[in-house]
Amino acid sequence: MASTAITAGAEPVFHLEEEHAHAEGGSTMLGFWLYLMSDCLIFAMLFAAFGVLGGNYAAGPAPKDLFDLGLVAVNTTMLLLSSITYGFAMLTMDKGRVGATQSWLAVTMLFGLAFLSIELYEFAHMIHEGATPQRSAFLSSFFTLVGTHGLHVTFGIVWMVTLMVQVARHGLIEANRRRLMCLSMFWHFLDVVWIGVFTFVYLMGTLR
Amino acid sequence: MSAHDHAGHDHAHGGAAHGSLKGYLIGFFLSVILTAIPFWLVMDGVIDNKQATAVIIMAFAAVQIVVHMIFFLHMNPASEGGWSMLALIFTVILVVIVLSGSLWVMYHLNANMMPGLHEMREMP
């Protein structure tokens, strides 16, 4: 895309693609994607730790004694529903409908909160039964992996509330659209990580 | 780059298409099916062979991750001029190395470094 301007008697001037003025936020999406990829590596480490330590129960409780797959299925449904409602928020954002976007964001947030509540209930239940992170290597790696995912969801919800306030104040301006698109990627990415969690931790743990 | 705006860039689209209602619904229904089947397989113990069940649910997870990438994250080889796909491929390679390497090394470490009582008695 290098363009050449040749005027009579003057040296040809080459403008490389990089020299063009970039619109503000033009590279935000790629940058955010790179952040997500590095986040993916964090989760890969935690998955690897769980894969190695997941069978070391130290004569403590095993996944079969602890996991309630019905609860995990409900949790998975919550996250999946929040994914599709965030998609609806993006579609209404495209049409510039502020009220509808805010409503879908609120619905997404409620599903996210439901997910977190169920997860915290599960954690509390496990700890109450003596299955604390200190009990065995399996439980340490379990709480680290699933807890890190839960923390991400928590920060996603904080971010969502922030953006809802921003949209309420300034409307769907270009900057807010960009931020909402970043959060969209973040939120869908968390759902992708959860696929790994319910498959490797819960389902395969129960099979063990 | 067919849709040039006045700045000569297509960054207005951000490389991340927002998808369509149809796309989101297809992705959602595929995800529901791809989630429900593994849970059903494990919760009802449909297949007696645990190894086979594990392989099948891992395959379902892999397919579901691809479905999410396409329909929710709107990944395609052309977005951001191919850079996001390149970053994804690089990350996948690293993840595969980390996961398979850790599991492989630690499995053999466990097998070789933790002799049972029987072998210990035979040691000089």
Side-chain angles (χ1 to χ4, degrees), chain A residues 44-55:
Chain A
M45 305 295 158
L46 296 176
F47 271 112
F50 182 83
V52 169
L53 301 170

Side-chain angles (χ1 to χ4, degrees), chain B:
Chain B
M1 282 204 188
S2 54
H4 282 245
D5 57 8
H6 57 275
H9 281 276
D10 57 354
H11 283 175
H13 302 287
H18 303 174
S20 58
L21 181 63
K22 198 180 150 202
Y24 277 114
L25 288 177
I26 292 173
F28 180 71
F29 283 119
L30 282 177
S31 300
V32 169
I33 294 165
L34 290 168
T35 304
I37 292 176
F39 270 97
W40 170 64
L41 286 179
V42 174
M43 287 171 86
D44 288 1
V46 180
I47 304 168
D48 280 336
N49 189 341
K50 286 186 175 182
Q51 207 96 39
T53 313
V55 171
I56 291 169
I57 63 174
M58 273 199 285
F60 271 104
V63 174
Q64 197 183 346
I65 286 174
V66 174
V67 166
H68 276 242
M69 286 279 175
I70 293 172
F71 290 102
F72 291 160
L73 284 164
H74 311 301
M75 277 301 290
N76 66 68
S79 63
E80 297 288 350
W83 286 108
S84 46
M85 183 57 99
L86 201 66
L88 176 65
I89 293 169
F90 178 61
T91 309
V92 169
I93 291 173
L94 285 185
V95 168
V96 168
I97 292 174
V98 165
L99 284 179
S100 61
S102 303
L103 294 175
W104 181 51
V105 167
M106 294 310 287
Y107 174 78
H108 284 277
L109 202 67
N110 282 341
N112 292 324
M113 300 291 284
M114 289 205 281
L117 271 179
H118 179 66
E119 294 100 287
M120 269 163 116
R121 270 192 224 108
E122 288 173 358
M123 279 178 188

Side-chain angles (χ1 to χ4, degrees), chain A residues 13-22, chain B residues 9:
Chain A
V13 180
F14 294 96
H15 293 288
L16 296 177
E17 193 176 1
E18 284 77 14
E19 290 176 347
H20 285 288
H22 281 257
Chain B
H9 281 276

